[in-house]
Amino acid sequence: MSSRLQAGFVALVGLSSGLMALFGGGTVLVVGLSVLAGLVVGASLLWYVRWITS
């Protein structure tokens, strides 16, 4: 799997969680924390997908 594709997947998950918090009326702090949490979740999902496909 390409490293650019992996980074894009993690970024997509992180930014989508931030957008959901933003559209839900969250403060700047909440949006930032949502992006960070989404990046962690995206990295975890990527690890899981790589683990089950190897």
Side-chain angles (χ1 to χ4, degrees), residues 1-26:
M1 199 179 232
S2 169
S3 60
R4 287 177 58 187
L5 182 62
Q6 292 174 8
F9 175 77
V10 172
L12 181 68
V13 173
L15 292 176
S16 69
S17 65
L19 281 174
M20 288 191 308
L22 182 65
F23 290 141

Side-chain angles (χ1 to χ4, degrees), residues 8-50:
F9 175 77
V10 172
L12 181 68
V13 173
L15 292 176
S16 69
S17 65
L19 281 174
M20 288 191 308
L22 182 65
F23 290 141
T27 64
V28 174
L29 178 63
V30 170
V31 171
L33 289 174
S34 296
V35 170
L36 287 176
L39 291 173
V40 170
V41 169
S44 300
L45 284 171
L46 180 63
W47 172 83
Y48 178 70
V49 167
R50 291 185 68 192

